[in-house]
Each structure stands twice: as C-alpha cells, then as structure tokens.
Amino acid sequence: MGGQIEGLSKLDLEGKGLQRYDLQYSGLQYFGAMSASIAHEIKNALAITNENAGLLEDLSLISIKNGQPLDSERVAKLSKKMMDQIKRADNIVKKMSRFAHSVDDPVKVVNLSEVVELTLELGRRSASTKSITLAPVCCDFPISIETNPFLLMNLLWLVIKSAFRRVNSDKKIEVELSKSISKDNKKGDVNIIIANLLPYNLSCQCEEENQKELIIMLGNLLNLNIDMNSEDKIIITISQLTK
Amino acid sequence: MRILLVDDEADYVSTLAERLSFRGIDAQWALSGRQALKYLETEKYDLAVLDIKMPKIGGIELKKEIQKKYPNMKFIYLTGHGSEDDYQKGVADSVHYLIKPVNIDDLIKMMKKVMEGKD
C-alpha cells in the first residue's frame, strides 16, 4: 500500500494567526533541542577520542623514558577505540544531516518507518536522561506516505514526550506501525502506536493542555487523527488512499 | 589528592583516570550517580569531577546528594555543552566547570585551584 494522505496537497497555514506562531516556535524548539542533543553526542565522541589520543601520547612518552618498546597490543586497542568513536560521530552526523534535510520540502514522499526511527534515534539521549528507553520501531513492511517530514517528526516527538509521564515501571516506550485496509479496498489506515504506557490520567490534563493543543493542531495540519485517551497507548492514525 | 570521576561514558572516564594516574593523581571512576554514592559509602575522596548530563542522576543533583554527607568535598563539573545555561548552573552552584573535550593539564590546574580554595 502506498498513496497520498487525503487532503494534504499543501500545508495551509493561512489565516491561522497565533497558531502559525505557535507551530513555528514549537518547530524551532524541537530543532534546537535535537541539535543540542546531537552536539552533545558529538562532543562525547570527541572527548573519548581526545582521551585515547592523549593516552597513546602518554604511553609513547613513558616508553621513551623507560627505554622500553610500546605495547603493540595496547596501541592496537586504543586505535580501535578511536576508530569506533569516529564511526560513532560519523553516524551522528549522518542522522543530523537527514534531520536537517527534513525541512527541505513542505511535502514529500517518505518511508514512514524511517521517519519514525529517525525521530526515536534523535530523541533517545533526551529520553535516557529521564531513564526512559525508546525501543526500536516495530515494523516489518515499508509504508510510503506523503507528508511534511519535519512537522511529522515534531508531532511524533511531542507525542512521545507527553508519553514520558505515562511510562510503566520498566520505563520503556514501544512504538509500533500497523496498517489496515477498508473492506472496499479503497482506503487504508496506517497507525503509529506509542505503547506500553500507564492509563491516561485525567488529572494530568491541565498541565498538558498547551502541549495537547499543539499536538492536535499539528495533527489537524497533517490530517492525522490522534487518540491520546486510550487505556495504555497513544494512537496516531494516517488515512491513506490506496492505489 | 584522591578524586572520583563520574561520567556515563566508560571509555572516557576510564581513560581519563588512567592518564591522571600517570600524573600521580589517584582517580577512581564511576559510571552513574548511584555507583558514585555506593563508592562514597566506603571510600574517601577530596574532590569529585561530575558530568552534568547523566541518566537518572545528573551531576548537579549528584553534587547535592554528596554534599549532604560530605559537606567539605570539592567539585568540578564536566559538560559537553558549554552553553550559557551550563555556565549559569555552574555559577549558581559555585562550581567550576570544564567543557569536553578537556585538556588534561587544564583539568589538573583546575583541580589544584579548587583544592586550594582559589577562585
């Protein structure tokens, strides 16, 4: 199943006044938060490389001083550690590049599971500071959708962040993708399910009101239906036309 | 000088501890706030070098926990950010901080300065 999201031929923000500002600000906040997290990860990789290079230098100086050869096994291990960190930093930069390019086109055909996985990968550090694990996306089939990738990632992240308050004792948030096709085979739904959550607590409603409004606003803009009141999950539904 | 390094990056903190030991500094390392607090139950340290951003207990929170039991212990924060926010947190806490990647000589200079109680 592939296809076009109903009604999303262009993003129409005209005449939405304050809402437009809210969305832009939310987008900037998301971009800023993810950029800071990426910068932090790169700094960590650089810091480890720096210490390993420094240790290599220390060992060289000690070996000269003592008139003993360098331990080649140790040198090889340190080199491997440095290469691992370079690989780690390169992966982070690749993610950053994909994220940065998500704003290139207002509407684009994307692989949904890739977009969701990138959102989770970028958000993992932020979640881990709250001891929350974001499990890999559970999806074994490709789903192409036409959407605004950046706004979809922003929405998904807002939803996942709202789920932080509802994590179970294992503090693990699961994200699944599923699809269903209507009986007449003309219409299909794709669901992004944020699962393994505690029941929705109505007492949280006031605190979350602003965030919820933003989520609904983004959902409307992207023609998505968001059910945040389910017992143990949040469901984002994308209605598609089948080809 | 006996120091405790706390950072969730094992490769970073273990290598830094080894390099400090080459310079005559007795450094032990922990990968989490919880592990650091456990070490503190049996070991004595003069100074703790804490990463600000760590899962579960961050450096700032950990410092508060440690200070409850060991009010005379000294601290240095390590951060990957180097943001205005981190600077303000350090100032508010009267704690010196260094931005990763650190130069080991700068770290040792700062350790000595902190131990001597100089600004």
Side-chain angles (χ1 to χ4, degrees):
Chain A
M1 185 173 70
Q4 189 176 13
I5 298 171
E6 273 182 298
L8 184 65
S9 55
K10 60 175 185 173
L11 293 169
D12 183 16
L13 282 166
E14 291 306 314
K16 290 194 164 74
L18 186 64
Q19 293 185 353
R20 187 186 181 106
Y21 170 80
D22 290 340
L23 284 174
Q24 284 173 340
Y25 190 67
S26 163
L28 261 180
Q29 274 188 320
Y30 176 54
F31 207 87
M34 292 304 119
S35 300
S37 172
I38 289 163
H40 191 264
E41 283 284 292
I42 293 173
K43 278 272 196 180
N44 272 340
L46 287 174
I48 296 170
T49 309
N50 181 58
E51 287 316 317
N52 281 300
L55 181 55
L56 209 49
E57 189 185 27
D58 289 351
L59 293 172
S60 305
L61 292 172
I62 290 167
S63 93
I64 291 167
K65 197 180 159 190
N66 297 342
Q68 286 174 338
L70 261 176
D71 178 348
S72 57
E73 207 175 303
R74 189 85 207 270
V75 172
K77 269 186 190 168
L78 288 173
S79 303
K80 166 94 174 49
K81 279 186 180 182
M82 285 191 271
M83 283 190 281
D84 286 348
Q85 291 307 317
I86 289 165
K87 221 179 275 176
R88 173 185 174 187
D90 184 48
N91 278 333
I92 300 161
V93 172
K94 276 180 192 154
K95 275 186 244 169
M96 186 184 181
S97 175
R98 282 168 63 203
F99 180 54
H101 284 295
S102 70
V103 296
D104 288 354
D105 303 300
V107 181
K108 193 180 173 184
V109 177
V110 292
N111 180 336
L112 184 63
S113 61
E114 281 179 13
V115 171
V116 176
E117 188 55 57
L118 180 61
T119 311
L120 296 181
E121 281 174 13
L122 292 171
R124 275 196 181 101
R125 183 162 182 97
S126 175
S128 79
T129 60
K130 293 175 169 56
S131 308
I132 295 169
T133 309
L134 302 177
V137 181
C138 189
C139 173
D140 49 10
F141 45 87
I143 302 171
S144 295
I145 64 159
E146 192 176 28
T147 189
N148 179 304
F150 178 75
L151 289 182
L152 180 60
M153 289 173 77
N154 187 10
L155 167 71
L156 192 56
W157 182 240
L158 286 172
V159 171
I160 290 169
K161 266 204 328 186
S162 78
F164 281 3
R165 291 169 190 229
R166 294 174 57 187
V167 286
N168 263 307
S169 55
D170 64 1
K171 293 200 160 192
K172 187 176 172 184
I173 294 176
E174 289 166 5
V175 181
E176 298 162 24
L177 300 183
S178 70
K179 59 184 179 182
S180 58
I181 299 169
S182 63
K183 281 177 188 168
D184 57 6
N185 214 24
K186 283 182 180 168
K187 205 180 155 194
D189 284 346
V190 174
N191 295 314
I192 305 171
I193 303 160
I194 291 97
N196 195 33
L197 306 179
L198 290 173
Y200 182 74
N201 184 355
L202 287 174
S203 64
C204 293
Q205 220 171 351
C206 287
E207 288 175 63
E208 290 175 352
E209 208 55 53
N210 287 343
Q211 201 178 29
K212 205 174 168 187
E213 263 179 38
L214 205 56
I215 288 170
I216 290 165
M217 210 192 298
L218 269 168
N220 288 340
L221 189 66
L222 293 167
N223 279 346
L224 310 179
N225 182 53
I226 302 159
D227 176 5
M228 296 184 77
N229 301 338
S230 279
E231 185 65 10
D232 59 352
K233 53 181 76 108
I234 299 171
I235 304 168
I236 302 171
T237 304
I238 306 166
S239 293
Q240 292 185 304
L241 295 172
T242 57
K243 275 185 178 167
Chain B
M1 177 161 46
R2 187 125 203 274
I3 72 157
L4 179 62
L5 303 170
V6 191
D7 194 302
D8 59 320
E9 293 276 0
D11 272 343
Y12 177 74
V13 77
S14 60
T15 312
L16 185 58
E18 187 174 0
R19 295 190 71 205
L20 287 169
S21 74
F22 290 157
R23 288 156 178 83
I25 296 167
D26 182 7
Q28 215 181 339
W29 50 275
L31 292 175
S32 66
R34 198 171 291 174
Q35 196 176 23
L37 291 168
K38 205 173 172 190
Y39 288 167
L40 280 157
E41 285 173 12
T42 53
E43 304 281 335
K44 269 192 94 176
Y45 303 93
D46 305 299
L47 180 129
V49 179
L50 312 174
D51 185 23
I52 290 184
K53 296 256 180 194
M54 288 187 289
K56 292 180 185 169
I57 311 172
I60 293 168
E61 206 184 328
L62 179 60
K63 178 193 167 251
K64 285 177 192 160
E65 284 297 310
I66 296 174
Q67 269 186 324
K68 282 181 199 166
K69 283 186 180 175
Y70 308 96
N72 295 326
M73 208 163 143
K74 312 275 187 191
F75 299 90
I76 291 172
Y77 286 146
L78 280 184
T79 171
H81 281 297
S83 65
E84 179 64 17
D85 189 38
D86 282 342
Y87 173 75
Q88 293 299 344
K89 279 174 192 165
V91 169
D93 244 359
S94 305
V95 172
H96 290 79
Y97 81 100
L98 280 172
I99 300 162
K100 288 181 189 174
V102 294
N103 177 309
I104 196 154
D105 296 326
D106 291 342
L107 176 61
I108 293 170
K109 262 185 224 165
M110 188 172 278
M111 284 174 176
K112 287 179 179 165
K113 208 158 82 171
V114 170
M115 287 311 296
E116 288 162 9
K118 288 179 191 169
D119 278 330

